[in-house]
Amino acid sequence: PPPTSPSCTHHITKSITCTKQKSFKMTDNIRAKRVLIVVLAILALWNLTKLPFFMAFNNDQDVAYNSHGIELSINLGHWIEGYRSNKMRAPACNFFLVHVALGITLLAMIILTIINAERRKKYCIPFFIFAIVEGLHTIPAASINDAGLAPLFLFACAGLIASGVWGIYTKYTYDKDPEAAEKNLLLQYIFIGVINFGAAVLEGLNMISAFKYHNKNGEWFSHGDAPHHSVGNTWYDQFPEAVGYTIFIVFTISAWGLWPLFLIEFQPSKQTTDVDDVKAGATETTPLILT
């Protein structure tokens, strides 16, 4: 039909509407990704701030804090005078240093896959191995929880291990059905991310409860001046704290320092403007690209 006919005008209007809808969906998707990246980054940085206090626990002169044992938000316990939170049962280095380092690494890798989905498959093997190790390493701590959360924590450990094993299987059978494999990889990343985020939710609820109590009573709720009765009697306490400290140092140097260097690829590209430039000797640049 001619361009001015009603049918043609309707068709053009419909096409413009569809284009706008697709554009809005893409914009919303990008915004959602940015929000998710910010949330995960804040969570990773929050846990990162705890590392110095775990390393210093019982190695510094802070008798006032060390005497009542590790509590849930160890960073707030040092930043806010008198702040108290739930008693922890596992040791600082053999459990918490290793556990937090693994969690931060998994969150960082999830952020990288949100930025570039191609990384999901490319680096999934180390991601799933870290998830399995985190699950196995947490089982002894989860099983001794006497606050009624042991079943939930053990379920989370099983979820990390199962997702990791399923992910490795998906990677090695990827070529049989790439489309289904991509969907499975996405699900596995989501499961592992949700489990790691769940621990932050529990900590957040405890923090809210602590501040509400302080606001109402003018003092922080005390969980007791002695460490939890399980301290010193866990599976992790069979080994010197130097073991966990060493594992933490080796892991962070390798995963946070050396490994990223191997992800950098050199891509040479010649920039020429005309034949004379070529004859005179074209310049070459080698930008660094993190893939």
Side-chain angles (χ1 to χ4, degrees), residues 171-211:
K171 165 63 173 169
Y172 285 108
T173 59
Y174 185 92
D175 293 334
K176 293 181 178 180
D177 190 346
E179 185 177 350
E182 281 294 336
K183 292 180 180 178
N184 289 338
L185 286 174
L186 177 60
L187 286 175
Q188 292 144 11
Y189 272 76
I190 291 174
F191 290 158
I192 293 170
V194 167
I195 291 171
N196 277 273
F197 188 77
V201 172
L202 292 176
E203 181 180 6
L205 293 175
N206 277 279
M207 289 167 56
I208 293 171
S209 177
F211 279 99

Side-chain angles (χ1 to χ4, degrees), residues 7 13 15 24 35 86 95 112 132-133 135 175 181 218-219 224 252 273 280:
S7 61
T13 304
S15 298
F24 289 145
V35 170
N86 293 359
F95 177 70
L112 291 176
I132 293 171
V133 172
D175 293 334
E219 61 180 1
T252 51
T273 55

Side-chain angles (χ1 to χ4, degrees), residues 69-116:
I70 297 176
E71 296 184 341
L72 180 59
S73 300
I74 189 172
N75 45 359
L76 288 182
H78 285 81
W79 294 340
I80 302 176
E81 185 177 357
Y83 181 89
R84 305 297 298 273
S85 51
N86 293 359
K87 299 286 183 181
M88 297 290 98
R89 300 148 183 81
C93 295
N94 283 352
F95 177 70
F96 283 107
L97 271 185
V98 178
H99 181 73
V100 172
L102 286 167
I104 292 173
T105 304
L106 290 170
L107 291 173
M109 295 182 75
I110 291 173
I111 290 173
L112 291 176
T113 64
I114 295 173
I115 297 172
N116 183 354

Side-chain angles (χ1 to χ4, degrees), residues 36-58:
L36 183 57
I37 288 171
V38 170
V39 171
L40 294 178
I42 290 174
L43 176 57
L45 291 172
W46 171 258
N47 284 297
L48 189 65
T49 64
K50 297 178 181 179
L51 295 180
F53 301 113
F54 288 135
M55 288 186 280
F57 186 78
N58 278 341

Side-chain angles (χ1 to χ4, degrees), residues 111-260:
I111 290 173
L112 291 176
T113 64
I114 295 173
I115 297 172
N116 183 354
E118 292 180 0
R119 295 177 181 142
R120 192 181 300 138
K121 176 193 173 188
K122 192 171 185 179
Y123 302 116
C124 68
I125 294 299
F127 177 82
F128 292 132
I129 290 175
F130 295 156
I132 293 171
V133 172
E134 183 185 36
L136 292 171
H137 178 256
T138 308
I139 288 176
S143 62
I144 62 174
N145 183 280
D146 53 4
L149 296 175
L152 177 63
F153 290 159
L154 289 171
F155 179 77
C157 293
L160 287 170
I161 297 168
S163 296
V165 173
W166 182 26
I168 293 173
Y169 173 79
T170 301
K171 165 63 173 169
Y172 285 108
T173 59
Y174 185 92
D175 293 334
K176 293 181 178 180
D177 190 346
E179 185 177 350
E182 281 294 336
K183 292 180 180 178
N184 289 338
L185 286 174
L186 177 60
L187 286 175
Q188 292 144 11
Y189 272 76
I190 291 174
F191 290 158
I192 293 170
V194 167
I195 291 171
N196 277 273
F197 188 77
V201 172
L202 292 176
E203 181 180 6
L205 293 175
N206 277 279
M207 289 167 56
I208 293 171
S209 177
F211 279 99
K212 281 185 175 180
Y213 183 90
H214 182 270
N215 185 55
K216 181 179 180 180
N217 299 282
E219 61 180 1
W220 299 105
F221 180 80
S222 176
H223 294 266
D225 294 326
H228 190 275
H229 62 80
S230 296
V231 170
N233 301 310
T234 69
W235 177 83
Y236 310 96
D237 293 299
Q238 298 180 54
F239 313 97
E241 284 282 75
V243 173
Y245 204 105
T246 303
I247 293 173
F248 167 77
I249 294 296
V250 172
F251 177 78
T252 51
I253 290 176
S254 301
W256 299 2
L258 298 178
W259 186 33

